[in-house]
Amino acid sequence: MLHLSELNGNTELPSRANVEYVRSMSAGWNSVCLPFALNMSMLDKIEKDCRIALVKSISDRGARIQDVDGVSAGQPCLIYVPVPKSFRFEIDNAELTTEPVNSGCLKGTFQKKVIGQGAYKLGQDGASFAKTVGEDAICYSYRAYIIK
């Protein structure tokens, strides 16, 4: 079993594995970037009224998001959770990708990464993006951030 969490990012992933992913999510929006596909039925088994969204664009006025039913492996996204909740996914023989799909404005990472000053990541309120101010600002494993 391959154990994934924000505390143990991975630099090398197999193409297939039995996977366990554990994460405590705050009420509101949470950034996520996983090496396996994620869909609404997986979230509904843990908590109702969740949402998955892609960030389509970002401007000084805010982010434009689009709700989706699921994302492919490596696709950075936002997950809305109505109440704080611990998520645990177990997937047998999951198809994995080795790199995040960073073609959009939301960038994902599979390992803890220094993103530096001037990037944007979700604020603690889960309702807005905040601009990072320090050169040592980080993004934790299996999460996402924005660079304008």
Side-chain angles (χ1 to χ4, degrees), residues 18-38:
N18 295 334
V19 176
E20 176 190 53
Y21 174 68
V22 178
R23 165 127 176 237
S24 293
M25 296 207 193
S26 303
W29 290 102
N30 298 267
S31 70
V32 175
C33 184
L34 299 171
F36 56 86
L38 178 69

Side-chain angles (χ1 to χ4, degrees), residues 6-51:
E6 63 186 23
L7 302 176
N8 71 343
N10 295 79
T11 56
E12 294 183 25
L13 293 166
S15 60
R16 286 195 171 276
N18 295 334
V19 176
E20 176 190 53
Y21 174 68
V22 178
R23 165 127 176 237
S24 293
M25 296 207 193
S26 303
W29 290 102
N30 298 267
S31 70
V32 175
C33 184
L34 299 171
F36 56 86
L38 178 69
N39 60 53
M40 284 303 301
S41 65
M42 294 167 71
L43 296 177
D44 285 342
K45 290 178 184 174
I46 299 169
E47 180 65 44
K48 298 294 182 200
D49 299 323
C50 292
R51 294 165 56 193

Side-chain angles (χ1 to χ4, degrees), residues 1-4 9-20 34-36 73-74 91 93-99 110 142:
M1 178 77 64
L2 179 62
H3 301 280
L4 307 176
N10 295 79
T11 56
E12 294 183 25
L13 293 166
S15 60
R16 286 195 171 276
N18 295 334
V19 176
E20 176 190 53
L34 299 171
F36 56 86
I91 306 166
N93 199 29
E95 186 174 336
L96 304 175
T97 186
T98 58
E99 295 288 329
F110 293 163
Y142 308 110

